[in-house]
Structures are given as structure tokens and as C-alpha cells.
Amino acid sequence: FLFSTGLDMSMCNAGIAIVNEMEKSDERVKMLWDNAKYLQAKFVEAGYSIGDTVTPITPFMVYDEALATELTAKLFEKNILVSPIMYPTVALGKARIRLMLSAAHSKDQLDYAYDVITSTYEEIKNK
């Protein structure tokens, strides 16, 4: 029952409006993928794991539930909103934070997020 809550009519209507808008142009979708590939490559090139994602939803693997919780809170204090994903949503020991990228993010914003996420992660992990 974890993901079984139904959508209300206003959310359904918003979803339909978004799909209708996206059918007019694929520019936003292309920008979203460009942003995802850019940030994901930065993480991988620096030796961080993003799991086996094949979507713009970008996990940053931390493997430890307590670390994911602490990292999420510290990033929020630094104006970066991420979601901790932990057991029972994923297997025990496979905790991560999830980044939801947007076509509207600039490269400067993605670079900032990368710098803050990695430095905060290293700070917490090594204390």
C-alpha cells in the first residue's frame, strides 16, 4: 500500500494539461535529459554512484539510512531539496538521496548542487 494513494481530480487535470503542453514541443524534454546527463556524468566521473538509473531521476547512493537522513537535512539547510530513499522503499543498505532535476535548472545551479551535495556528503561520511 506504500504507493497506492489515488490522485484527486485537480492533479489529474494538471497532468493532462502538462501532457498536452509537452505534445506541442519536445524542447523541455530535451533540456531535461541534457541536464540529467550533465549532472549524472559529473557524479560518475568523480567516482560517486548513481546506481543504475536510466531516467532523469538521479539517485546519489549513500547506502546508509542514517547518512541519507542526515544528508537530506543538511542539504535542505543549504537550499537543496532532495528526498531520502531508504528501506523499505529500497533494500536495506541501498539508501540514497533522490534528485528531481528540471529542464529549468541552469548549469550554474547544477554545478552548485553538485558541489554542495558532494562536499556535504564527504563531511558527514568522514566525521
Side-chain angles (χ1 to χ4, degrees):
F1 298 109
L2 190 60
F3 298 108
S4 64
T5 303
L7 296 176
D8 63 34
M9 186 58 81
S10 64
M11 295 300 287
C12 291
N13 287 335
I16 290 168
I18 290 167
V19 169
N20 289 339
E21 194 62 31
M22 289 177 64
E23 287 178 338
K24 294 177 186 175
S25 169
D26 64 353
E27 181 180 334
R28 290 184 201 162
V29 173
K30 287 180 181 177
M31 190 61 179
L32 172 61
W33 275 104
D34 182 53
N35 282 347
K37 289 175 184 176
Y38 176 80
L39 186 59
Q40 290 172 359
K42 285 181 74 94
F43 285 134
V44 170
E45 288 168 9
Y48 296 103
S49 176
I50 59 167
D52 57 1
T53 189
V54 293
T55 74
I57 299 170
T58 302
F60 181 86
M61 302 300 295
V62 298
Y63 303 102
D64 178 85
E65 282 69 22
L67 199 153
T69 301
E70 184 177 357
L71 181 58
T72 298
K74 296 243 185 235
L75 292 175
F76 185 76
E77 292 171 2
K78 298 175 182 183
N79 297 318
I80 296 178
L81 180 62
V82 297
S83 299
I85 308 298
M86 334 180 251
Y87 180 83
T89 306
V90 296
L92 198 57
K94 297 288 185 179
R96 64 206 66 188
I97 60 168
R98 179 174 61 194
L99 292 80
M100 301 297 289
L101 303 181
S102 162
H105 285 117
S106 69
K107 293 294 189 277
D108 286 343
Q109 289 171 322
L110 296 175
D111 289 340
Y112 173 78
Y114 169 84
D115 291 341
V116 173
I117 290 167
T118 56
S119 64
T120 305
Y121 170 72
E122 293 298 330
E123 173 187 307
I124 294 169
K125 186 180 81 165
N126 295 319
K127 69 176 182 178

mmCIF file with all atom_site columns, all heavy atoms in Angstrom, residues 10-24 28:
data_model
loop_
_atom_site.group_PDB
_atom_site.id
_atom_site.type_symbol
_atom_site.label_atom_id
_atom_site.label_alt_id
_atom_site.label_comp_id
_atom_site.label_asym_id
_atom_site.label_entity_id
_atom_site.label_seq_id
_atom_site.pdbx_PDB_ins_code
_atom_site.Cartn_x
_atom_site.Cartn_y
_atom_site.Cartn_z
_atom_site.occupancy
_atom_site.B_iso_or_equiv
_atom_site.pdbx_formal_charge
_atom_site.auth_seq_id
_atom_site.auth_comp_id
_atom_site.auth_asym_id
_atom_site.auth_atom_id
_atom_site.pdbx_PDB_model_num
ATOM 1   N N   . SER A 1 10 ? -8.071 17.442 -9.499  1.00 0.00 ? 10 SER A N   1
ATOM 2   C CA  . SER A 1 10 ? -7.232 18.587 -9.884  1.00 0.00 ? 10 SER A CA  1
ATOM 3   C C   . SER A 1 10 ? -5.846 18.133 -10.324 1.00 0.00 ? 10 SER A C   1
ATOM 4   O O   . SER A 1 10 ? -5.280 18.680 -11.269 1.00 0.00 ? 10 SER A O   1
ATOM 5   C CB  . SER A 1 10 ? -7.135 19.595 -8.737  1.00 0.00 ? 10 SER A CB  1
ATOM 6   O OG  . SER A 1 10 ? -6.491 19.022 -7.622  1.00 0.00 ? 10 SER A OG  1
ATOM 7   N N   . MET A 1 11 ? -5.297 17.104 -9.654  1.00 0.00 ? 11 MET A N   1
ATOM 8   C CA  . MET A 1 11 ? -3.979 16.587 -10.051 1.00 0.00 ? 11 MET A CA  1
ATOM 9   C C   . MET A 1 11 ? -4.059 15.892 -11.413 1.00 0.00 ? 11 MET A C   1
ATOM 10  O O   . MET A 1 11 ? -3.148 16.021 -12.240 1.00 0.00 ? 11 MET A O   1
ATOM 11  C CB  . MET A 1 11 ? -3.449 15.621 -8.989  1.00 0.00 ? 11 MET A CB  1
ATOM 12  C CG  . MET A 1 11 ? -3.163 16.280 -7.652  1.00 0.00 ? 11 MET A CG  1
ATOM 13  S SD  . MET A 1 11 ? -1.923 17.579 -7.760  1.00 0.00 ? 11 MET A SD  1
ATOM 14  C CE  . MET A 1 11 ? -0.461 16.616 -7.975  1.00 0.00 ? 11 MET A CE  1
ATOM 15  N N   . CYS A 1 12 ? -5.126 15.162 -11.643 1.00 0.00 ? 12 CYS A N   1
ATOM 16  C CA  . CYS A 1 12 ? -5.326 14.520 -12.953 1.00 0.00 ? 12 CYS A CA  1
ATOM 17  C C   . CYS A 1 12 ? -5.424 15.560 -14.061 1.00 0.00 ? 12 CYS A C   1
ATOM 18  O O   . CYS A 1 12 ? -4.799 15.422 -15.115 1.00 0.00 ? 12 CYS A O   1
ATOM 19  C CB  . CYS A 1 12 ? -6.568 13.641 -12.933 1.00 0.00 ? 12 CYS A CB  1
ATOM 20  S SG  . CYS A 1 12 ? -6.415 12.169 -11.910 1.00 0.00 ? 12 CYS A SG  1
ATOM 21  N N   . ASN A 1 13 ? -6.193 16.619 -13.798 1.00 0.00 ? 13 ASN A N   1
ATOM 22  C CA  . ASN A 1 13 ? -6.335 17.681 -14.794 1.00 0.00 ? 13 ASN A CA  1
ATOM 23  C C   . ASN A 1 13 ? -5.010 18.388 -15.053 1.00 0.00 ? 13 ASN A C   1
ATOM 24  O O   . ASN A 1 13 ? -4.700 18.734 -16.199 1.00 0.00 ? 13 ASN A O   1
ATOM 25  C CB  . ASN A 1 13 ? -7.398 18.693 -14.352 1.00 0.00 ? 13 ASN A CB  1
ATOM 26  C CG  . ASN A 1 13 ? -8.803 18.139 -14.483 1.00 0.00 ? 13 ASN A CG  1
ATOM 27  O OD1 . ASN A 1 13 ? -9.057 17.237 -15.279 1.00 0.00 ? 13 ASN A OD1 1
ATOM 28  N ND2 . ASN A 1 13 ? -9.725 18.666 -13.695 1.00 0.00 ? 13 ASN A ND2 1
ATOM 29  N N   . ALA A 1 14 ? -4.229 18.612 -14.014 1.00 0.00 ? 14 ALA A N   1
ATOM 30  C CA  . ALA A 1 14 ? -2.908 19.229 -14.193 1.00 0.00 ? 14 ALA A CA  1
ATOM 31  C C   . ALA A 1 14 ? -2.019 18.326 -15.034 1.00 0.00 ? 14 ALA A C   1
ATOM 32  O O   . ALA A 1 14 ? -1.289 18.797 -15.918 1.00 0.00 ? 14 ALA A O   1
ATOM 33  C CB  . ALA A 1 14 ? -2.270 19.503 -12.837 1.00 0.00 ? 14 ALA A CB  1
ATOM 34  N N   . GLY A 1 15 ? -2.058 17.033 -14.775 1.00 0.00 ? 15 GLY A N   1
ATOM 35  C CA  . GLY A 1 15 ? -1.269 16.081 -15.562 1.00 0.00 ? 15 GLY A CA  1
ATOM 36  C C   . GLY A 1 15 ? -1.658 16.089 -17.030 1.00 0.00 ? 15 GLY A C   1
ATOM 37  O O   . GLY A 1 15 ? -0.800 16.070 -17.915 1.00 0.00 ? 15 GLY A O   1
ATOM 38  N N   . ILE A 1 16 ? -2.950 16.130 -17.294 1.00 0.00 ? 16 ILE A N   1
ATOM 39  C CA  . ILE A 1 16 ? -3.425 16.185 -18.679 1.00 0.00 ? 16 ILE A CA  1
ATOM 40  C C   . ILE A 1 16 ? -2.948 17.471 -19.356 1.00 0.00 ? 16 ILE A C   1
ATOM 41  O O   . ILE A 1 16 ? -2.498 17.451 -20.512 1.00 0.00 ? 16 ILE A O   1
ATOM 42  C CB  . ILE A 1 16 ? -4.962 16.063 -18.721 1.00 0.00 ? 16 ILE A CB  1
ATOM 43  C CG1 . ILE A 1 16 ? -5.382 14.636 -18.322 1.00 0.00 ? 16 ILE A CG1 1
ATOM 44  C CG2 . ILE A 1 16 ? -5.515 16.425 -20.106 1.00 0.00 ? 16 ILE A CG2 1
ATOM 45  C CD1 . ILE A 1 16 ? -6.870 14.478 -18.040 1.00 0.00 ? 16 ILE A CD1 1
ATOM 46  N N   . ALA A 1 17 ? -3.017 18.588 -18.649 1.00 0.00 ? 17 ALA A N   1
ATOM 47  C CA  . ALA A 1 17 ? -2.563 19.870 -19.211 1.00 0.00 ? 17 ALA A CA  1
ATOM 48  C C   . ALA A 1 17 ? -1.074 19.825 -19.538 1.00 0.00 ? 17 ALA A C   1
ATOM 49  O O   . ALA A 1 17 ? -0.640 20.341 -20.575 1.00 0.00 ? 17 ALA A O   1
ATOM 50  C CB  . ALA A 1 17 ? -2.866 21.006 -18.236 1.00 0.00 ? 17 ALA A CB  1
ATOM 51  N N   . ILE A 1 18 ? -0.296 19.194 -18.668 1.00 0.00 ? 18 ILE A N   1
ATOM 52  C CA  . ILE A 1 18 ? 1.142  19.086 -18.912 1.00 0.00 ? 18 ILE A CA  1
ATOM 53  C C   . ILE A 1 18 ? 1.415  18.239 -20.153 1.00 0.00 ? 18 ILE A C   1
ATOM 54  O O   . ILE A 1 18 ? 2.244  18.591 -21.001 1.00 0.00 ? 18 ILE A O   1
ATOM 55  C CB  . ILE A 1 18 ? 1.853  18.513 -17.671 1.00 0.00 ? 18 ILE A CB  1
ATOM 56  C CG1 . ILE A 1 18 ? 1.840  19.540 -16.547 1.00 0.00 ? 18 ILE A CG1 1
ATOM 57  C CG2 . ILE A 1 18 ? 3.281  18.077 -17.997 1.00 0.00 ? 18 ILE A CG2 1
ATOM 58  C CD1 . ILE A 1 18 ? 2.238  18.984 -15.194 1.00 0.00 ? 18 ILE A CD1 1
ATOM 59  N N   . VAL A 1 19 ? 0.738  17.103 -20.261 1.00 0.00 ? 19 VAL A N   1
ATOM 60  C CA  . VAL A 1 19 ? 0.921  16.242 -21.428 1.00 0.00 ? 19 VAL A CA  1
ATOM 61  C C   . VAL A 1 19 ? 0.536  16.993 -22.696 1.00 0.00 ? 19 VAL A C   1
ATOM 62  O O   . VAL A 1 19 ? 1.262  16.933 -23.699 1.00 0.00 ? 19 VAL A O   1
ATOM 63  C CB  . VAL A 1 19 ? 0.122  14.926 -21.282 1.00 0.00 ? 19 VAL A CB  1
ATOM 64  C CG1 . VAL A 1 19 ? 0.103  14.150 -22.591 1.00 0.00 ? 19 VAL A CG1 1
ATOM 65  C CG2 . VAL A 1 19 ? 0.705  14.072 -20.164 1.00 0.00 ? 19 VAL A CG2 1
ATOM 66  N N   . ASN A 1 20 ? -0.572 17.710 -22.663 1.00 0.00 ? 20 ASN A N   1
ATOM 67  C CA  . ASN A 1 20 ? -0.983 18.495 -23.834 1.00 0.00 ? 20 ASN A CA  1
ATOM 68  C C   . ASN A 1 20 ? 0.080  19.516 -24.218 1.00 0.00 ? 20 ASN A C   1
ATOM 69  O O   . ASN A 1 20 ? 0.365  19.725 -25.399 1.00 0.00 ? 20 ASN A O   1
ATOM 70  C CB  . ASN A 1 20 ? -2.325 19.191 -23.575 1.00 0.00 ? 20 ASN A CB  1
ATOM 71  C CG  . ASN A 1 20 ? -3.485 18.223 -23.536 1.00 0.00 ? 20 ASN A CG  1
ATOM 72  O OD1 . ASN A 1 20 ? -3.404 17.114 -24.061 1.00 0.00 ? 20 ASN A OD1 1
ATOM 73  N ND2 . ASN A 1 20 ? -4.568 18.625 -22.897 1.00 0.00 ? 20 ASN A ND2 1
ATOM 74  N N   . GLU A 1 21 ? 0.664  20.165 -23.227 1.00 0.00 ? 21 GLU A N   1
ATOM 75  C CA  . GLU A 1 21 ? 1.712  21.164 -23.482 1.00 0.00 ? 21 GLU A CA  1
ATOM 76  C C   . GLU A 1 21 ? 2.955  20.496 -24.067 1.00 0.00 ? 21 GLU A C   1
ATOM 77  O O   . GLU A 1 21 ? 3.581  21.021 -24.991 1.00 0.00 ? 21 GLU A O   1
ATOM 78  C CB  . GLU A 1 21 ? 2.037  21.891 -22.177 1.00 0.00 ? 21 GLU A CB  1
ATOM 79  C CG  . GLU A 1 21 ? 2.836  23.152 -22.332 1.00 0.00 ? 21 GLU A CG  1
ATOM 80  C CD  . GLU A 1 21 ? 2.146  24.241 -23.132 1.00 0.00 ? 21 GLU A CD  1
ATOM 81  O OE1 . GLU A 1 21 ? 0.904  24.353 -23.125 1.00 0.00 ? 21 GLU A OE1 1
ATOM 82  O OE2 . GLU A 1 21 ? 2.877  24.998 -23.802 1.00 0.00 ? 21 GLU A OE2 1
ATOM 83  N N   . MET A 1 22 ? 3.312  19.341 -23.523 1.00 0.00 ? 22 MET A N   1
ATOM 84  C CA  . MET A 1 22 ? 4.516  18.650 -23.997 1.00 0.00 ? 22 MET A CA  1
ATOM 85  C C   . MET A 1 22 ? 4.361  18.127 -25.425 1.00 0.00 ? 22 MET A C   1
ATOM 86  O O   . MET A 1 22 ? 5.351  17.974 -26.135 1.00 0.00 ? 22 MET A O   1
ATOM 87  C CB  . MET A 1 22 ? 4.871  17.509 -23.051 1.00 0.00 ? 22 MET A CB  1
ATOM 88  C CG  . MET A 1 22 ? 5.392  18.012 -21.712 1.00 0.00 ? 22 MET A CG  1
ATOM 89  S SD  . MET A 1 22 ? 5.726  16.684 -20.549 1.00 0.00 ? 22 MET A SD  1
ATOM 90  C CE  . MET A 1 22 ? 7.028  15.822 -21.382 1.00 0.00 ? 22 MET A CE  1
ATOM 91  N N   . GLU A 1 23 ? 3.122  17.865 -25.838 1.00 0.00 ? 23 GLU A N   1
ATOM 92  C CA  . GLU A 1 23 ? 2.900  17.393 -27.206 1.00 0.00 ? 23 GLU A CA  1
ATOM 93  C C   . GLU A 1 23 ? 3.179  18.486 -28.238 1.00 0.00 ? 23 GLU A C   1
ATOM 94  O O   . GLU A 1 23 ? 3.432  18.196 -29.398 1.00 0.00 ? 23 GLU A O   1
ATOM 95  C CB  . GLU A 1 23 ? 1.474  16.863 -27.358 1.00 0.00 ? 23 GLU A CB  1
ATOM 96  C CG  . GLU A 1 23 ? 1.282  15.525 -26.674 1.00 0.00 ? 23 GLU A CG  1
ATOM 97  C CD  . GLU A 1 23 ? -0.143 14.997 -26.762 1.00 0.00 ? 23 GLU A CD  1
ATOM 98  O OE1 . GLU A 1 23 ? -1.086 15.812 -26.966 1.00 0.00 ? 23 GLU A OE1 1
ATOM 99  O OE2 . GLU A 1 23 ? -0.307 13.777 -26.610 1.00 0.00 ? 23 GLU A OE2 1
ATOM 100 N N   . LYS A 1 24 ? 3.192  19.730 -27.800 1.00 0.00 ? 24 LYS A N   1
ATOM 101 C CA  . LYS A 1 24 ? 3.439  20.849 -28.714 1.00 0.00 ? 24 LYS A CA  1
ATOM 102 C C   . LYS A 1 24 ? 4.917  20.978 -29.068 1.00 0.00 ? 24 LYS A C   1
ATOM 103 O O   . LYS A 1 24 ? 5.257  21.464 -30.144 1.00 0.00 ? 24 LYS A O   1
ATOM 104 C CB  . LYS A 1 24 ? 2.952  22.160 -28.085 1.00 0.00 ? 24 LYS A CB  1
ATOM 105 C CG  . LYS A 1 24 ? 1.458  22.220 -27.893 1.00 0.00 ? 24 LYS A CG  1
ATOM 106 C CD  . LYS A 1 24 ? 1.059  23.523 -27.209 1.00 0.00 ? 24 LYS A CD  1
ATOM 107 C CE  . LYS A 1 24 ? -0.415 23.534 -26.878 1.00 0.00 ? 24 LYS A CE  1
ATOM 108 N NZ  . LYS A 1 24 ? -0.784 24.740 -26.106 1.00 0.00 ? 24 LYS A NZ  1
ATOM 109 N N   . ARG A 1 28 ? 11.534 21.032 -23.879 1.00 0.00 ? 28 ARG A N   1
ATOM 110 C CA  . ARG A 1 28 ? 11.720 20.856 -22.440 1.00 0.00 ? 28 ARG A CA  1
ATOM 111 C C   . ARG A 1 28 ? 12.245 19.456 -22.107 1.00 0.00 ? 28 ARG A C   1
ATOM 112 O O   . ARG A 1 28 ? 13.084 19.303 -21.217 1.00 0.00 ? 28 ARG A O   1
ATOM 113 C CB  . ARG A 1 28 ? 10.425 21.108 -21.685 1.00 0.00 ? 28 ARG A CB  1
ATOM 114 C CG  . ARG A 1 28 ? 10.011 22.549 -21.674 1.00 0.00 ? 28 ARG A CG  1
ATOM 115 C CD  . ARG A 1 28 ? 8.780  22.753 -20.839 1.00 0.00 ? 28 ARG A CD  1
ATOM 116 N NE  . ARG A 1 28 ? 8.127  24.000 -21.217 1.00 0.00 ? 28 ARG A NE  1
ATOM 117 C CZ  . ARG A 1 28 ? 6.902  24.301 -20.930 1.00 0.00 ? 28 ARG A CZ  1
ATOM 118 N NH1 . ARG A 1 28 ? 6.147  23.469 -20.244 1.00 0.00 ? 28 ARG A NH1 1
ATOM 119 N NH2 . ARG A 1 28 ? 6.399  25.453 -21.304 1.00 0.00 ? 28 ARG A NH2 1
#
